[in-house]
Amino acid sequence: MLSEIEALRETAGDEINKAGSLKDVQDLKVKYLGKKGLLTVKLRSMGAIPPEERRAFGSLINEAKSYLESAITSQENRFRSDELNQSLRIEKIDVTVPGRYIPAGQLHPSTKVLDELITIFTGLGFTVAEGPEVELDFYNFEALNMPKEHPARDMQDTFYVSDDVVLRTHTSSVQVRTMEKTPPPLRVIAPGKVYRCDADVSHIPMFHQLEGFMVDKNIRMSDLKGVLELFIHRVFGSNTSIRLRPSFFPFTEPSAEIDMSCVICGGKGCNVCSQTGWIEILGAGMINPRIYEMAGYAPDKYTGFAFGLGIERVAMLKYGIDDIRLFPENDRRFLAQF
Ligand code: DAH
């Protein structure tokens, strides 16, 4: 019996040492030390051994067991570390390889200017309103004191959808729409797309405007000037001056064109400002009482101002862009510059 154990220990030890894989080692563990393993079975047969031999048998078998266990553990460790080394070799990452370039977009200059203006005006308590781009002739023209056949309609080259429907030619269309829904006082900006049948270096058929209007008791032209001066200073720097020139718009009375000192030459005179030192930047005025009548406001109780500006025009002056047709092209080489 004792020699059987020794023989078993020897074969088992041999097999374990010659095992070719982790799986072989694990199978051998089951074969010899598992519940029904060859050595386990011997251990269980201890009862059948004559009492005087039990001690020797017991110690031999326990010694064989721990011998095999440690042989198994060391083989397992060997195969596990081989496996690890192999995967470290195969899955090696070269952290010095240059990264792959993933082109990222950036905000369009029109969007940047629009966002900047919205931040400035909401900071002054203006709220943002929107209106439809396919607009009734009524809101685009009639409600703004431009009845059908009014000569001022010729100032804007309109895309007509039908006799009564147009692509809005300006964001001023949002004025009466908003006033109809909101009683005074109000402070509103209305940014958005507008359409005109026109195309050259300074005109594209679809561009962006921002309309602003404020109605309350005792609003004066000086309020208009203060708000516009603040906005020009924020966008173009506080050295910029503005001036108001008399003009005409059917929806404001009095009306003005606002010029700012030329951002290119600082007012000395250059090509951009046609040697005048001034650049026209937006239209504005005191809201014509006819508009209040159209909107259902009491025309004798309230006064207010309105202004409208072209976003692309502001962007062109701010970033020094000399051709408005670059805006809708979306060429990344152009967009990446801002
Ligand atoms: N709607 C005018 C345009 O597109 C711009 C404008 C001028 C808006 C004067 C106004 C204003 O609100 O008061 O040419």
Side-chain angles (χ1 to χ4, degrees):
M1 195 61 173
L2 295 183
S3 59
E4 260 178 53
I5 305 280
E6 265 168 5
L8 191 59
R9 167 190 156 136
E10 196 154 320
T11 5
D14 260 12
E15 285 179 31
I16 292 166
N17 290 334
K18 284 187 199 139
S21 70
L22 186 61
K23 169 143 195 333
D24 288 351
V25 179
Q26 281 159 349
D27 289 346
L28 290 167
K29 190 175 181 176
V30 174
K31 178 174 170 188
Y32 291 102
L33 304 177
K35 261 193 196 150
K36 292 178 186 159
L38 297 176
L39 198 71
T40 317
V41 171
K42 293 271 183 237
L43 195 62
R44 291 226 185 93
S45 67
M46 190 108 108
I49 306 285
E52 62 278 14
E53 287 175 26
R54 257 183 221 162
R55 227 182 117 88
F57 180 83
S59 81
L60 190 65
I61 208 161
N62 277 329
E63 200 259 327
K65 191 177 169 208
S66 60
Y67 170 75
L68 294 183
E69 277 170 351
S70 80
I72 285 169
T73 311
S74 81
Q75 281 291 69
E76 279 176 344
N77 289 345
R78 199 189 102 206
F79 285 117
R80 288 215 174 96
S81 86
D82 282 358
E83 225 170 63
L84 179 66
N85 286 334
Q86 168 125 357
S87 67
L88 285 177
R89 244 192 337 271
I90 296 172
E91 295 161 21
K92 195 163 92 177
I93 294 171
D94 182 354
V95 293
T96 65
V97 171
R100 239 176 270 159
Y101 172 63
I102 301 171
Q106 58 273 309
L107 292 180
H108 192 284
S110 300
T111 309
K112 289 183 105 173
V113 167
L114 205 52
D115 286 351
E116 185 180 357
L117 297 191
I118 290 173
T119 306
I120 294 171
F121 284 106
T122 51
L124 294 174
F126 284 73
T127 53
V128 178
E130 283 183 312
E133 290 168 30
V134 179
E135 182 56 287
L136 291 173
D137 180 282
F138 176 76
Y139 291 109
N140 196 81
F141 291 124
E142 272 180 63
L144 294 170
N145 202 24
M146 282 183 274
K148 286 207 169 27
E149 319 305 335
H150 192 289
R153 288 191 178 208
D154 278 354
M155 281 168 27
Q156 302 176 352
D157 305 279
T158 310
F159 286 112
Y160 279 91
V161 176
S162 70
D163 275 354
D164 294 321
V165 179
V166 300
L167 297 188
R168 68 176 178 191
T169 58
H170 53 184
T171 42
S172 304
S173 57
V174 183
Q175 281 190 27
V176 170
R177 274 194 178 274
T178 309
M179 290 181 200
E180 278 177 346
K181 282 181 286 184
T182 326
L186 46 74
R187 261 180 284 186
V188 176
I189 50 167
K193 294 185 173 66
V194 299
Y195 301 84
R196 292 190 198 178
C197 188
D198 203 357
D200 59 40
V201 250
S202 48
H203 298 90
I204 40 177
M206 189 277 288
F207 58 104
H208 297 82
Q209 281 190 340
L210 184 131
E211 185 80 11
F213 47 99
M214 177 167 182
V215 181
D216 202 343
K217 291 185 175 135
N218 301 319
I219 300 290
R220 293 166 304 184
M221 197 118 185
S222 50
D223 297 311
L224 169 66
K225 190 175 176 218
V227 167
L228 294 180
E229 200 162 45
L230 182 142
F231 133 72
I232 296 281
H233 283 174
R234 289 273 191 88
V235 177
F236 293 102
S238 49
N239 291 333
T240 321
S241 5
I242 67 166
R243 71 176 185 188
L244 277 67
R245 243 182 323 112
S247 183
F248 172 77
F249 298 102
F251 33 94
T252 43
E253 184 57 40
S255 303
E257 304 270 7
I258 315 305
D259 296 341
M260 64 173 189
S261 52
C262 179
V263 280
I264 309 293
C265 63
K268 290 191 203 78
C270 68
N271 286 343
V272 174
C273 60
S274 317
Q275 310 303 330
T276 63
W278 294 97
I279 294 181
E280 184 188 316
I281 179 85
L282 60 112
M286 299 307 289
I287 296 174
N288 190 319
R290 283 283 293 150
I291 310 306
Y292 300 135
E293 280 170 31
M294 288 292 189
Y297 281 14
D300 48 345
K301 263 192 167 160
Y302 294 98
T303 53
F305 62 75
F307 60 89
L309 57 90
I311 297 297
E312 283 78 2
R313 178 152 180 79
V314 174
M316 286 171 84
L317 293 168
K318 187 175 164 87
Y319 299 123
I321 301 166
D322 59 5
D323 188 340
I324 197 172
R325 292 171 296 196
L326 292 165
F327 284 82
E329 277 177 7
N330 284 333
D331 186 325
R332 286 201 60 246
R333 290 166 303 178
F334 168 70
L335 299 177
Q337 296 173 44
F338 310 104

